[in-house]
Amino acid sequence: GAVVSQHPSWVICKSGTSVKIECRSLDFQATTMFWYRQFPKQSLMLMATSNEGSKATYEQGVEKDKFLINHASLTLSTLTVTSAHPEDSSFYICSARGLAGDYSYNEQFFGPGTRLTVL
Amino acid sequence: GQNIDQPTEMTATEGAIVQINCTYQTSGFNGLFWYQQHAGEAPTFLSYNVLDGLEEKGRFSSFLSRSKGYSYLLLKELQMKDSASYLCAVRGRNQAGTALIFGKGTTLSVSS
């Protein structure tokens, strides 16, 4: 159990276009989803936290108008990179946490990641 | 501020034991996690400590001392497939509440 999927697994786009990444919890309800970004040989940097039905909370230094996050249901969150530029090329990983009291509450389960390359 | 430190790289041989240390200073503390990450893949959960002491799970053990802000991951009977990055993460307090904050990871290379 506790599977998180991401789509697409990789995407190549032209500079200036927008890219949407989907994150789904397949077999549990994710009250909270997190979006991380990882540059080569660097660790995961938390970008934002989203709770179902409410606006995402962004970490310091992350542009909320550039990285749009929607957490429309307990199983789906989306990250849209708007007007992407080459410096946005990175590995984007989502993570989900379940309901309080659920066996998975103490853990964050990670999706397989999306490799974004902006030309 | 939040700061999580771990060595950048370590090397070991098959069958050996290796200890990866992690020190942390975070806003709030709600548990310490260790994850394994192979290149280009998402992290996979290894262990979770919220109380002081040692947690053992097969070949992997993790230790926590909250007063010292210190943890280690112990890997026994190393295998080639253990070559990976090991991430120490603390559930602290971020802008929204409690998320995992990661250290930079320790790249472990296991040779025969």
Side-chain angles (χ1 to χ4, degrees), chain A residues 34 36 38 43-44 46 49 57-60 91 93 97 105-108 110-112 115, chain B residues 33 35 37 40-43 45 48 87 91 94-96 98-105:
Chain A
F34 307 90
Y36 290 83
Q38 186 177 34
S43 191
L44 284 78
L46 180 67
T49 302
T57 303
Y58 292 79
E59 294 301 299
Q60 207 164 13
F91 193 48
I93 305 176
R97 193 166 73 202
Y105 183 66
N106 281 328
E107 298 181 31
Q108 276 182 223
F110 287 84
R115 174 79 55 196
Chain B
F33 297 73
Y35 282 82
Q37 186 181 29
E41 299 179 10
F45 171 79
Y48 165 68
L87 309 176
R91 176 171 289 157
N94 64 317
Q95 296 281 77
T98 57
L100 287 182
I101 307 300
F102 284 85
K104 291 187 176 180

Side-chain angles (χ1 to χ4, degrees), chain A residues 46-65:
Chain A
L46 180 67
M47 298 175 68
T49 302
S50 72
N51 291 296
E52 184 262 340
S54 59
K55 289 185 179 180
T57 303
Y58 292 79
E59 294 301 299
Q60 207 164 13
V62 178
E63 300 174 59
K64 62 180 180 181
D65 294 330

Side-chain angles (χ1 to χ4, degrees), chain B residues 3-101:
Chain B
N3 193 43
I4 300 174
D5 283 321
Q6 50 182 131
T8 306
E9 294 180 339
M10 298 184 73
T11 58
T13 55
E14 268 188 306
I17 300 172
V18 71
Q19 177 174 312
I20 304 174
N21 296 322
C22 171
T23 57
Y24 64 90
Q25 291 175 306
T26 56
S27 302
F29 179 81
N30 266 311
L32 187 140
F33 297 73
W34 283 96
Y35 282 82
Q36 180 191 64
Q37 186 181 29
H38 287 99
E41 299 179 10
T44 54
F45 171 79
L46 290 178
S47 69
Y48 165 68
N49 294 68
V50 68
L51 299 175
D52 291 351
L54 188 69
E55 293 282 340
E56 297 187 78
K57 194 188 275 188
R59 293 191 298 118
F60 297 82
S61 303
S62 57
F63 172 82
L64 175 67
S65 168
R66 288 171 297 170
S67 62
K68 295 181 180 177
Y70 168 70
S71 173
Y72 67 71
L73 178 69
L74 193 72
L75 295 82
K76 303 175 186 174
E77 300 169 19
L78 281 174
Q79 302 173 10
M80 297 290 283
K81 67 178 183 179
D82 296 328
S83 293
S85 184
Y86 290 86
L87 309 176
C88 173
V90 174
R91 176 171 289 157
R93 192 170 300 125
N94 64 317
Q95 296 281 77
T98 57
L100 287 182
I101 307 300

